[in-house]
Amino acid sequence: MSKKNNPNILKYFEKNNLVELLKEILEKDNFEEFNLSIGAIDVGYGNTKYTSGINEKGDLELDMFPSVAPLAPQQSMAGGLLGKRNVKIIDIEGTKYEIGPDAELTANNSGTVKNLNENYIFSEQYKALFLGALAYMNKEHYDYIVLGLPVNYLNNTEKLQEMFKGEHKVSESLNCTIDNVIVVPQPLGAFYDIAINQEKYFDLIEETNLVIDPGFLTYDFLTTYGLKPIESRSDALNGGMSRVLHTIANSISDTIDKPYKDYASIDRAIRKPKKVKNQETGKFEPMRIVKIAGKEYDLLPHIKNSTPTIENAINHMTNVVQTYDDLNNIILAGGADSIFEKKIREHIGREILKAENAIYSNVRGFWLIGVLEAMKILVK
């Protein structure tokens, strides 16, 4: 997408047969050209997801990269038969960081440590990831950018808005100006994703809802009545995917009888099972495999060993939520849904709403929030 072109946002709603819903939400029968620039960025502890908006076809462009920000190597070895890594170089006050899908290749060998605490959102690493997302989004101006925060960090909303509203030097060739920054609880993105894209808006805004968002660091859950949060029944536990990966790594370490801490390889194996030929049937079947010192190991038994960690997070949620009986809707989002989903369903024993490609559920919802907020102001 070009730096200046802003396709008419209504194309998205037309393509997805959502125009009638939009009319009812905004209480307006027709719309004129609506071509503001609206983007969304979800800087998570595991991955940074982003959308610059819709393309000319009316599709929402979505992508992500690992939330790692290693120092950029002083020289590149790309060239000849060696391919160029997919990264952006982000300069923050003279310190250059490498951001992008291939930044893990540098991070895994440079001692880069993730900042896994509340100060993360004020760190240079967080800012580098934010600017890295803007670099991939490649636009010079946004009327609105929507960001998310874990439920227990929402007291930092105004500080985050102050940090990112205004002009940013993204690279030598790109400056980006952001007129308005909207900050929302991360699980609220999934709420809007389901509300709009599954046309459940008028149910969710008049009923009691639980949004479960197992992230990389935190296991977030947000209970609401409509759009009003019920704080006493919401929380974020430091028991997300990072804890699960740590448990799996310890289990592998016991098996191979030496320390193993390649969390990135475990995470990739969970998300993208490898096709392995079944010697009995001759068919290729998906298996979660990690290769260590040239030998393949099936992750399944190690994932089973992480069950107590997963159940601890779910039990904490149950203690805070108190009862599921009065909840009208339960929504599951987040990139760690594939690990947590089975146990959540077993524990709750209820129908659960879930978006397709749930790892992007929050950032899709963030974008929709931005669109609706802009339309409420502009559509009279």
Side-chain angles (χ1 to χ4, degrees):
M1 187 178 289
S2 69
K3 297 177 184 178
K4 295 182 179 180
N5 186 31
N6 300 319
N8 183 6
I9 286 173
L10 291 175
K11 284 185 177 182
Y12 175 85
F13 295 89
E14 291 167 353
K15 184 167 187 174
N16 293 283
N17 298 314
L18 297 170
V19 174
E20 292 303 317
L21 175 63
L22 193 62
K23 289 179 181 179
E24 292 299 324
I25 293 172
L26 296 174
E27 298 181 344
K28 186 174 175 64
D29 289 334
N30 55 71
F31 305 99
E32 298 176 0
E33 191 79 1
F34 187 76
N35 58 359
L36 293 184
S37 181
I38 297 175
I41 303 174
D42 182 9
V43 183
Y45 290 98
N47 293 287
T48 296
K49 283 81 67 176
Y50 60 90
T51 177
S52 58
I54 60 168
N55 57 28
E56 293 291 346
K57 296 179 180 179
D59 295 318
L60 192 60
E61 296 191 323
L62 298 159
D63 214 335
M64 67 177 180
F65 51 80
S67 291
V68 293
L71 295 177
Q74 294 192 358
Q75 64 181 22
S76 172
M77 296 177 64
L81 296 177
L82 294 175
K84 186 177 181 181
R85 288 179 295 116
N86 183 2
V87 296
K88 302 288 187 182
I89 304 301
I90 301 299
D91 189 327
I92 299 180
E93 298 181 0
T95 301
K96 294 182 178 180
Y97 296 91
E98 200 174 69
I99 306 295
D102 292 334
E104 277 186 332
L105 300 176
T106 298
N108 289 344
N109 296 290
S110 65
T112 300
V113 177
K114 286 177 181 275
N115 185 346
L116 300 180
N117 55 56
E118 184 174 4
N119 292 328
Y120 173 57
I121 62 175
F122 304 117
S123 66
E124 282 197 357
Q125 181 189 32
Y126 188 98
K127 186 175 182 179
L129 294 169
F130 174 84
L131 294 177
L134 289 182
Y136 279 103
M137 293 156 71
N138 195 33
K139 294 178 75 172
E140 294 175 342
H141 171 258
Y142 286 96
D143 296 282
Y144 292 86
I145 284 284
V146 185
L147 304 174
L149 278 176
V151 172
N152 54 347
Y153 293 168
L154 285 174
N155 58 304
N156 295 308
T157 293
E158 291 184 5
K159 293 178 182 177
L160 207 62
Q161 289 172 322
E162 291 172 5
M163 285 171 57
F164 294 124
K165 182 179 178 179
E167 185 173 354
H168 301 277
K169 184 175 179 59
V170 179
S171 67
E172 291 298 324
S173 60
L174 178 63
N175 287 341
C176 181
T177 301
I178 300 170
D179 293 342
N180 299 282
V181 176
I182 299 172
V183 179
V184 299
Q186 280 172 331
L188 197 61
F191 178 100
Y192 271 89
D193 187 25
I194 296 292
I196 303 299
N197 287 313
Q198 295 190 20
E199 297 187 89
K200 295 184 180 293
Y201 181 85
F202 292 107
D203 292 326
L204 298 183
I205 63 167
E206 296 292 343
E207 296 177 348
T208 305
N209 313 287
L210 172 65
V211 186
I212 307 169
D213 181 12
F216 186 82
L217 177 65
T218 57
Y219 179 101
D220 286 51
F221 53 96
L222 175 68
T223 305
T224 73
Y225 180 78
L227 293 173
K228 299 175 182 177
I230 304 174
E231 287 89 349
S232 62
R233 300 178 69 183
S234 305
D235 200 3
L237 172 72
N238 282 348
M241 193 62 186
S242 59
R243 286 280 180 93
V244 175
L245 293 176
H246 179 73
T247 305
I248 293 172
N250 284 345
S251 179
I252 294 172
S253 298
D254 291 340
T255 298
I256 64 176
D257 201 27
K258 61 181 178 181
Y260 181 77
K261 295 183 179 180
D262 191 348
Y263 296 169
S265 291
I266 299 172
D267 193 31
R268 281 195 300 270
I270 291 171
R271 295 185 191 282
K272 296 181 180 179
K274 178 181 178 182
K275 290 188 176 181
V276 178
K277 188 173 184 179
N278 186 314
Q279 297 303 318
E280 294 182 2
T281 65
K283 296 181 179 180
F284 282 86
E285 300 173 353
M287 291 185 66
R288 292 179 169 122
I289 297 289
V290 291
K291 184 175 282 189
I292 305 169
K295 184 177 179 179
E296 292 185 337
Y297 293 86
D298 183 359
L299 274 187
L300 184 57
H302 305 291
I303 292 173
K304 289 180 178 179
N305 288 341
S306 70
T307 297
T309 301
I310 295 169
E311 290 182 338
N312 181 62
I314 297 171
N315 288 334
H316 174 76
M317 176 178 68
T318 299
N319 291 337
V320 175
V321 174
Q322 299 174 19
T323 179
Y324 300 108
D325 292 342
D326 65 340
L327 300 174
N328 301 111
N329 308 287
I330 299 175
I331 298 169
L332 176 62
D337 64 294
S338 61
I339 287 293
F340 284 85
E341 181 175 359
K342 182 180 178 181
K343 287 298 177 184
I344 288 173
R345 289 186 182 275
E346 288 176 0
H347 191 88
I348 293 178
R350 290 268 307 276
E351 178 188 1
I352 293 178
L353 300 171
K354 181 184 170 185
E356 291 185 17
N357 208 359
I359 194 168
Y360 288 115
S361 191
N362 279 337
V363 77
R364 275 195 304 263
F366 291 172
W367 182 79
L368 288 164
I369 289 170
V371 170
L372 289 179
E373 288 301 306
M375 282 188 162
K376 287 174 185 176
I377 294 171
L378 297 179
V379 176
K380 301 296 184 182

